[in-house]
Amino acid sequence: MLRRVAAILTLVLSFTAGANSIAYADSPPKFNPPKSYYLSLGDSLGFGYQQAVFNAELPNGVPAAAFDHGYTDVFAAQLNAIRPGIEAVNLSCPGETARTMMAGGCPYSAAGFPLHISYAGAQLDAAVAFLHAHRGQISPITLAIGNNDAIAVFRACAFNAACITAALPQLTADLQARLASILDTLRTAAPDAEIIVLRSYNPFAVIAPESDDAVGYISAKLADTVASHRARSADAFTPFNLAPPQPATLCALTAFCTPLRDIHPTDAGYAVIADAFFVASDYLRLTR
């Protein structure tokens, strides 16, 4: 595992060292080692969703336990190696947007499918309640949010570059404002927790390579928001979309190139994202 983490660290730093050193220069995150609980928040990526698993489990009501190969599970295993007994608490909701995370209305549970942990109301409220109930016992917190907001715009534009470009400023401003509010809330409730936000990959680059430009623009803006809240960014975009050869790498790490056209990661892809979180956490220092 450490060799794989070291490899992804080299790849990520080769593309992003300059940008990250600037982003974190004014407000570097404080190192917060793992504690009793690891809290995973966000959308289908945090949940560990895969369309093939959903289809196979549909006759059984699609139990959440079937989705046990996501990055939350892999990262939790990595954390257990350095903090034995840490408990993963996964509140992630497939289909969640930044807006629904704050306002409530998880699309997946609203459709009748179970989450890893059920709760009423907004995911952010459930997270704050858990943080308050276990004050000082939670670190790290991972967050994957904003993907569905961007996907909705991409699809509404039918991946037309001019349409996406015109929509980007408002989309990005809305995402920045909502992400800032989410991080403000989490940081207030958990001042001593490591918060790591996913910089997501772009599955649509397989059919629209130019869409990487839009994703890069959004990511750069959101990275500023993350850094200003003493949080860290876990870069999945670099190993998924920039690592050669392309699109073969993207096709291997997602199921988008299969007949299902599933935008979600394969098991290998989720493992790469877990490694990105591990690298961003700086927990590698605890293994030496």
Side-chain angles (χ1 to χ4, degrees), residues 235-261:
D235 183 6
F237 183 81
T238 296
F240 275 69
N241 290 91
L242 301 182
Q246 291 293 346
T249 298
L250 187 56
C251 288
L253 298 181
T254 73
F256 192 80
C257 301
T258 70
L260 290 175
R261 283 296 196 191

Side-chain angles (χ1 to χ4, degrees), residues 4-287:
R4 190 176 71 212
V5 171
I8 194 172
L9 175 60
T10 300
L11 177 61
V12 169
L13 291 181
S14 70
F15 282 98
T16 64
N20 283 347
S21 62
I22 294 172
Y24 289 110
D26 295 329
S27 56
K30 178 182 176 182
F31 179 74
N32 294 288
K35 298 182 180 178
S36 297
Y37 297 94
Y38 155 40
L39 181 60
S40 179
L41 305 174
D43 54 29
S44 56
L45 297 181
F47 184 85
Y49 186 90
Q50 293 172 324
Q51 191 62 47
V53 174
F54 181 91
N55 293 351
E57 294 293 336
L58 191 55
N60 305 316
V62 198
F67 300 95
D68 60 355
H69 292 88
Y71 74 70
T72 298
D73 305 274
V74 180
F75 188 41
Q78 294 172 336
L79 295 175
N80 261 286
I82 56 177
R83 210 306 187 170
I86 188 171
E87 182 178 339
V89 176
N90 192 347
L91 302 183
S92 302
C93 158
E96 194 86 288
T97 64
R99 182 187 63 79
T100 61
M101 183 173 182
M102 299 168 64
C106 167
Y108 194 73
S109 57
F113 300 110
L115 301 176
H116 289 288
I117 296 175
S118 62
Y119 49 86
Q123 182 182 162
L124 186 59
D125 291 340
V128 169
F130 185 80
L131 290 167
H132 285 166
H134 301 83
R135 199 178 298 273
Q137 302 176 59
I138 301 167
S139 186
I141 301 169
T142 58
L143 174 64
I145 202 67
N147 300 302
N148 292 312
D149 307 70
I151 287 170
V153 171
F154 282 20
R155 285 177 168 160
C157 284
F159 299 96
N160 176 270
C163 176
I164 291 173
T165 299
L168 271 183
Q170 188 62 54
L171 167 64
T172 306
D174 289 345
L175 276 176
Q176 281 189 283
R178 288 172 178 149
L179 179 59
S181 182
I182 291 168
L183 291 175
D184 276 335
T185 301
L186 294 175
R187 181 53 71 202
T188 299
D192 57 350
E194 197 72 75
I195 301 177
I196 314 171
V197 182
L198 181 66
R199 181 195 179 196
S200 192
Y201 60 92
N202 174 27
F204 301 110
V206 172
I207 57 173
E210 66 278 5
S211 62
D212 272 352
D213 293 336
V215 172
Y217 174 85
I218 296 170
S219 294
K221 293 294 186 181
L222 295 185
D224 292 340
T225 304
V226 170
S228 68
H229 289 76
R230 289 195 299 109
R232 301 173 186 264
S233 292
D235 183 6
F237 183 81
T238 296
F240 275 69
N241 290 91
L242 301 182
Q246 291 293 346
T249 298
L250 187 56
C251 288
L253 298 181
T254 73
F256 192 80
C257 301
T258 70
L260 290 175
R261 283 296 196 191
D262 183 15
I263 64 175
H264 295 90
T266 58
D267 288 356
Y270 273 126
V272 167
I273 295 176
D275 287 347
F277 274 111
F278 194 85
V279 167
S281 72
D282 200 21
Y283 292 158
L284 191 62
R285 67 166 76 176
L286 300 177
T287 67

